[in-house]
């Protein structure tokens, strides 16, 4: 009899532990995660081929998640719900949580938004929207309700308002419409009340740029979102606006490494200035709410404006420096930084394998950690973990001298 009572006690205890575990998972909210240095964030895409028609499997995504969790990354950002990738991701996270009580991972779920005639041969109509937008939002809502313990944020659109996205951008009223829709669903208990609603866009789109963005619909959008998710890409401006990029006259006597380090510090400060410009505009219209970095990154290769024939910005050393500097700053400021991105994806510019869009990852498609993560390999962070069934090794076979042979010093001379 005592043995039976003991068995029943263990069963009840086990059930309570499972219930407590689920309760804890559901009690974790985005407000607890954002700005919390224990929850590092990153942009995630699991595609391994040059086509998005080939979806990453749940097993493949699980490999990725284990690698990211080992890096203390616990918040992932996705971009759309067009494909199976995101539902596979949510399933993979759910399965890993059941397999390992210590595993934690949450998602900022992106819903893609674009204008009427986007990606067609017809002229885009920027103040009208694609019929697909309603489908995208509905699916984002469905997935959030299906996985409330995983999806903690919904982002309406990705760089959907910035005017250089000429093939698809929309006017702010369209983003505002969908943000208000989601906020109303929360009030009607048709979405979890703690899920945060935002839009993730270029710093200029949030008022940090020119006056052409300073419209009333943007002001209303800033008031409607739960927080601002802004993007900053100094790497692109090493070509388009190189006010910070180059070597100062007073730095000419420095070593090449010292020159590059100085340029990367200025790159970080340039990103910070864009962040501050968004905060300043937000406060200028009487709003004070959190601002986090929804995207920033630095490619390791480019045959375009940013490579050796251009601004000489892209290589593994500069990328590693930018990653380190942005992580240090954002952690100190308690700002979440969704770094772009976890793994290289070559579908982004499949016609140009050396294009920068294919090379923003911290780990490449050969299962090699780039220079930014070499120390993690040394520290055996990835011990026992694989990608595509292979161990994570270092690029350049860990030969730092070989890595430096591809590092070029900027040639532009800046006035002191």
């Amino acid at each position: 009899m005592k043995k039976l009572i003991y068995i029943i006690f263990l069963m009840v205890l086990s059930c309570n532990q499972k219930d407590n575990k689920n309760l804890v998972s559901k009690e974790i909210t985005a407000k607890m995660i954002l700005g919390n240095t224990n929850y590092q964030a990153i942009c995630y895409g699991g595609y391994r081929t040059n086509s998005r028609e080939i979806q990453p499997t749940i097993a493949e995504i699980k490999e990725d998640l284990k690698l990211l969790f080992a890096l203390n990354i616990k918040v992932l950002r996705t971009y759309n719900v067009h494909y199976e990738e995101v539902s596979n991701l949510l399933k993979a996270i759910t399965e890993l949580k059941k397999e390992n009580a210590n595993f934690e991972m949450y998602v900022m779920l992106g819903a893609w938004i674009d204008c009427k005639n986007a990606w067609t041969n017809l002229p885009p109509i920027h103040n009208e929207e694609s019929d697909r937008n309603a489908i995208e939002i509905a699916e984002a809502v469905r997935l959030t309700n299906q996985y409330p313990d995983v999806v903690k944020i919904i982002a309406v659109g990705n760089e959907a308002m910035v005017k250089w996205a000429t093939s698809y951008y929309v006017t702010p009223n369209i983003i505002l419409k969908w943000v208000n829709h989601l906020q109303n669903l929360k009030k009607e208990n048709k979405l979890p009340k703690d899920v945060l609603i935002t839009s993730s866009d270029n710093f200029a789109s949030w008022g940090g740029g020119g006056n052409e963005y300073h419209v009333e619909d943007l002001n209303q959008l800033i008031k409607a979102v739960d927080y601002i998710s802004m993007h900053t890409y100094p790497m692109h401006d090493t070509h388009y606006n190189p006010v910070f990029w180059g070597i100062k006259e007073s730095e000419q006597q420095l070593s090449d490494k010292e020159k590059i380090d100085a340029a990367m510090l200025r790159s970080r400060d340039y990103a910070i200035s864009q962040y501050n410009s968004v905060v300043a505009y937000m406060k200028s219209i009487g709003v004070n709410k959190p601002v986090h970095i929804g995207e920033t990154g630095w490619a390791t290769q480019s045959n375009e404006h940013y490579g050796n024939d251009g601004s000489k910005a892209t290589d593994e050393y500069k990328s590693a420096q930018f990653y380190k500097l942005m992580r240090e700053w954002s952690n100190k400021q308690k700002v979440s930084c969704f770094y772009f991105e976890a793994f290289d994806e070559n579908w982004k510019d499949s016609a140009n394998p050396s294009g920068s869009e294919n090379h923003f990852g911290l780990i490449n498609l050969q299962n090699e950690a780039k220079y930014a993560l070499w120390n993690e390999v040394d520290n055996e962070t990835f011990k026992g973990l694989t990608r595509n069934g292979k161990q994570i090794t270092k690029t350049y076979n860990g030969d730092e001298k070989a890595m430096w042979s591809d590092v070029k010093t900027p040639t532009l001379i800046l006035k002191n």
Side-chain angles (χ1 to χ4, degrees):
M1 184 66 179
K2 287 182 179 178
K3 185 176 181 181
L4 178 60
I5 293 172
Y6 181 66
I7 291 171
I8 293 171
F9 170 76
L10 288 178
M11 290 174 66
V12 171
L13 181 63
S14 176
C15 289
N16 285 340
Q17 286 175 336
K18 288 179 181 177
D19 289 343
N20 288 339
K21 179 188 165 190
N22 291 334
L23 184 64
V24 168
S25 182
K26 287 179 181 176
E27 285 181 347
I28 293 290
T29 66
K31 286 184 179 180
M32 299 176 189
I33 292 168
L34 291 173
N36 186 335
T37 56
N38 291 321
Y39 292 85
Q40 295 296 304
I42 207 160
C43 301
Y44 175 76
Y47 293 97
R48 288 157 166 78
T49 73
N50 62 4
S51 171
R52 279 203 293 176
E53 300 308 311
I54 301 174
Q55 297 297 298
T57 65
I58 292 174
E60 288 174 333
I61 292 172
K62 280 184 173 181
E63 282 190 316
D64 293 351
L65 294 174
K66 290 175 182 178
L67 291 167
L68 296 176
F69 186 67
L71 292 169
N72 194 37
I73 290 168
K74 298 177 186 175
V75 195
L76 307 182
R77 182 183 166 208
T78 63
Y79 289 82
N80 61 69
V81 293
H82 285 57
Y83 300 94
E84 292 178 6
E85 184 211 19
V86 169
S87 59
N88 282 349
L89 170 66
L90 297 174
K91 289 174 187 174
I93 292 172
T94 302
E95 290 181 12
L96 283 176
K97 288 172 69 176
K98 290 177 180 177
E99 295 166 13
N100 178 0
N102 295 319
F103 181 81
E104 265 191 296
M105 196 67 72
Y106 305 98
V107 170
M108 174 181 176
L109 186 69
W112 188 265
I113 299 294
D114 50 26
C115 69
K116 187 173 182 178
N117 297 339
W119 317 109
T120 70
N121 293 325
L122 299 172
I125 304 175
H126 297 296
N127 61 351
E128 296 182 32
E129 64 174 319
S130 163
D131 292 338
R132 166 75 205 189
N133 292 352
I135 299 170
E136 190 83 358
I137 293 291
E139 178 64 2
V141 169
R142 186 188 73 80
L143 289 171
T144 302
N145 285 327
Q146 184 177 356
Y147 298 96
D149 56 331
V150 178
V151 179
K152 299 298 179 180
I153 305 163
I154 301 176
V156 179
N158 173 65
E159 293 178 348
M161 296 183 292
V162 68
K163 296 182 188 301
W164 47 249
T166 53
S167 58
Y168 71 93
Y169 84 81
V170 296
T171 46
N173 62 297
I174 292 171
I175 301 295
L176 175 63
K177 165 192 166 181
W178 290 115
V179 167
N180 284 337
H181 170 71
L182 294 174
Q183 297 288 27
N184 286 333
L185 290 183
K186 286 162 60 176
K187 294 175 185 176
E188 297 166 3
N189 294 318
K190 294 177 181 177
L191 265 178
K193 61 182 176 59
D194 290 325
V195 69
L196 296 189
I197 311 300
T198 189
S199 181
S200 206
D201 219 309
N202 181 269
F203 83 101
S205 306
W206 284 115
N211 291 335
E212 69 271 21
Y213 290 99
H214 298 171
V215 298
E216 183 56 28
D217 283 333
L218 174 64
N219 298 345
Q220 293 305 314
L221 177 62
I222 290 172
K223 294 173 183 177
V225 295
D226 292 308
Y227 76 95
I228 290 174
S229 175
M230 58 81 66
H231 300 184
T232 175
Y233 275 99
M235 189 207 84
H236 291 137
D237 280 351
T238 63
H239 169 77
Y240 289 105
N241 187 33
V243 292
F244 62 93
W245 187 249
I247 308 303
K248 287 188 174 183
E249 293 174 342
S250 59
E251 296 169 346
Q252 293 303 303
Q253 303 307 313
L254 298 178
S255 68
D256 285 346
K257 180 180 181 299
E258 289 171 331
K259 291 175 181 176
I260 291 168
D261 286 347
M264 295 312 299
L265 279 172
R266 286 192 290 274
S267 299
R268 178 206 60 188
D269 292 345
Y270 183 78
I272 294 170
S273 72
Q274 292 189 334
Y275 175 90
N276 288 338
S277 71
V278 172
V279 173
Y281 182 75
M282 173 188 71
K283 290 184 175 180
S284 77
I285 61 169
V287 178
N288 189 8
K289 59 181 56 174
V291 178
H292 296 285
I293 298 176
E295 258 190 50
T296 193
W298 199 284
T300 54
Q301 185 177 335
S302 172
N303 60 359
E304 310 139 316
H305 301 309
Y306 326 110
N308 292 341
D309 294 329
S311 62
K312 297 179 175 59
T314 51
D315 55 62
E316 290 200 21
Y317 181 75
K318 298 187 190 86
S319 174
Q321 284 298 98
F322 189 70
Y323 179 71
K324 173 177 174 286
L325 291 168
M326 290 305 294
R327 282 289 189 217
E328 288 175 349
W329 176 81
S330 60
N331 286 340
K332 184 178 180 181
Q333 298 299 318
K334 301 293 191 294
V335 169
S336 281
C337 179
F338 287 81
Y339 199 81
F340 189 84
E341 63 178 326
F343 303 96
D344 280 353
E345 298 178 89
N346 62 357
W347 66 266
K348 294 175 180 288
D349 193 358
S350 59
N352 180 23
S354 296
S356 61
E357 288 299 307
N358 301 323
H359 298 282
F360 273 90
L362 298 176
I363 296 175
N364 67 23
L365 289 168
Q366 290 71 50
N367 316 302
E368 295 170 331
K370 297 182 186 179
Y371 187 66
L373 298 183
W374 279 18
N375 63 318
E376 302 290 354
V377 178
D378 291 337
N379 295 335
E380 298 188 333
T381 300
F382 307 123
K383 186 177 181 180
L385 303 178
T386 60
R387 192 169 204 244
N388 301 317
K390 298 178 181 178
Q391 289 184 330
I392 303 300
T393 58
K394 297 180 183 179
T395 52
Y396 296 93
N397 291 315
D399 184 341
E400 193 159 347
K401 186 176 179 181
M403 185 274 296
W404 269 100
S405 69
D406 287 333
V407 179
K408 307 301 179 188
T409 305
T411 53
L412 184 66
I413 304 300
L414 302 176
K415 297 286 186 182
N416 285 332

